[in-house]
């Protein structure tokens, strides 16, 4: 089984580079052959992953070393090739993919699990979702997709200089909480209930794994935390 790593050096404000340097000795000690690619711009991971899928015929694993954006590029580049499996070494800010699928949360644990699966030829199957827009006529997503309000918050958070600053302390995910609350406060007619619902759902998404499951279950959180927010 061929093994490739797609490394995003910009993930988590550059901390992904140090994570990869910690993993390299472990790979060399195991004596497993692999190839590593470093992305230099947005979209390059997708291009490289697609080229790997097109040029390989044997079972292949492409592991994203980065955050959810890196996983997204690998999925969109190689997700349609039946002989390609996609892995993830979490090295990003949110790492929603590994939380959503309950995968290994630390980079070393993820690598050990990945190498074990490569040796055994073990692959888990999951469905991919599809979406289309004016900018992306045929896109794929692994664990979640957002549009409108959700996408606007993600864009503001990713452009914020505070995300990088918070990442230095391992708190980069909280920038999404801030922008959700800040944006809804500007739209007064949403009311306290929705503000608290979204804020609590975001916090639980950071610490538990999925905000979607909370949309119908956080009424009591809204009542209790409305005092805190107002």
């Amino acid at each position: 089984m061929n093994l490739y790593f797609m490394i995003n050096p910009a993930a988590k404000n550059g901390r992904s580079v140090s994570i990869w340097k910690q993993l390299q000795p472990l790979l060399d000690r195991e004596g497993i052959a692999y190839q590593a690619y470093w992305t230099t711009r947005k979209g390059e991971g997708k291009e490289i992953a697609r080229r790997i899928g097109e040029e390989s015929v044997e079972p292949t694993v492409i592991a994203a070393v980065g955050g959810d954006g890196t996983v997204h590029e690998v999925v969109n580049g190689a997700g349609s090739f039946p002989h390609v499996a996609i892995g993830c070494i979490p090295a990003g800010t949110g790492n929603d993919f590994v939380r959503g699928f309950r995968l290994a949360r630390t980079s070393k644990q993820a690598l050990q699990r990945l190498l074990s699966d490569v040796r055994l030829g073990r692959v888990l199957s999951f469905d991919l979702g599809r979406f289309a827009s004016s900018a992306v006529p045929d896109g794929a997503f692994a664990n979640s997709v957002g549009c409108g309000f959700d996408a606007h918050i993600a864009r503001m958070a990713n452009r914020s200089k505070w995300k990088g600053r918070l990442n230095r302390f391992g708190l980069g995910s909280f920038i999404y909480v801030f922008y959700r609350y800040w944006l809804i406060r500007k739209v007064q007619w949403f009311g306290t209930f929705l503000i608290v619902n979204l804020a609590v759902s975001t916090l639980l998404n950071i610490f538990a794994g999925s905000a979607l499951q909370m949309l119908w279950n956080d009424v009591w959180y809204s009542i209790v935390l409305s005092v805190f927010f107002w």
Side-chain angles (χ1 to χ4, degrees):
M1 183 176 288
N2 299 320
L3 178 60
Y4 298 87
F5 291 93
M6 193 75 65
I7 307 158
N8 178 8
K12 205 168 187 177
N13 208 34
R15 290 181 63 186
S16 56
V17 176
S18 61
I19 290 175
W20 173 250
K21 289 181 178 179
Q22 294 172 14
L23 298 180
Q24 272 188 304
L26 300 178
L27 282 165
D28 296 337
R29 188 167 63 236
E30 293 290 336
I32 294 180
Y34 67 91
Q35 286 185 261
Y37 290 91
W38 295 76
T39 60
T40 59
R41 56 179 170 78
K42 182 178 180 180
E44 188 175 18
K46 176 182 176 180
E47 296 169 3
I48 297 173
R50 177 179 292 138
R51 186 167 67 248
I52 292 173
E54 291 173 343
E55 296 177 354
S56 61
V57 292
E58 300 177 353
T60 298
V61 175
I62 306 177
V65 183
D68 296 312
T70 313
V71 173
H72 179 74
E73 290 203 3
V74 174
V75 165
N76 277 270
S80 60
F81 295 96
H83 64 286
V84 177
I86 296 169
C88 177
I89 306 295
T93 300
N95 297 317
D96 290 336
F97 176 77
V98 296
R99 277 202 302 271
F101 285 102
R102 301 187 183 278
L103 305 176
R105 298 285 292 274
T106 69
S107 56
K108 289 185 178 180
Q109 290 175 344
L111 179 61
Q112 291 170 353
R113 174 65 183 272
L114 177 68
L115 295 181
S116 174
D117 290 344
V118 168
R119 292 192 195 95
L120 298 174
R122 180 172 53 201
V123 178
L124 299 178
S125 297
F126 296 97
D127 292 331
L128 288 180
R130 313 294 304 189
F131 69 94
S133 68
S134 57
V136 183
D138 184 21
F141 64 93
N143 55 306
S144 64
V145 64
C147 62
F149 183 80
D150 184 54
H152 185 54
I153 291 171
R155 181 171 59 181
M156 289 193 301
N158 288 330
R159 291 179 175 179
S160 173
K161 60 183 179 181
W162 284 101
K163 182 178 180 181
R165 293 174 180 175
L166 290 171
N167 270 335
R168 298 173 187 171
F169 305 98
L171 300 173
S173 296
F174 282 96
I175 194 67
Y176 297 96
V177 179
F178 168 78
Y179 276 114
R180 279 201 178 193
Y181 180 62
W182 176 80
L183 188 59
I184 297 178
R185 283 295 297 268
K186 294 182 66 177
V187 187
Q188 295 296 327
W189 55 267
F190 267 97
T192 306
F193 180 77
L194 183 55
I195 292 173
V196 179
N197 275 4
L198 288 174
V200 173
S201 294
T202 304
L203 286 169
L204 289 168
N205 182 40
I206 292 173
F207 294 110
S210 174
L212 293 177
Q213 63 186 356
M214 296 307 303
L215 291 179
W216 310 107
N217 298 313
D218 55 348
V219 175
W220 296 111
Y221 290 98
S222 300
I223 296 173
V224 173
L225 293 184
S226 60
V227 177
F228 172 79
F229 280 100
W230 291 97

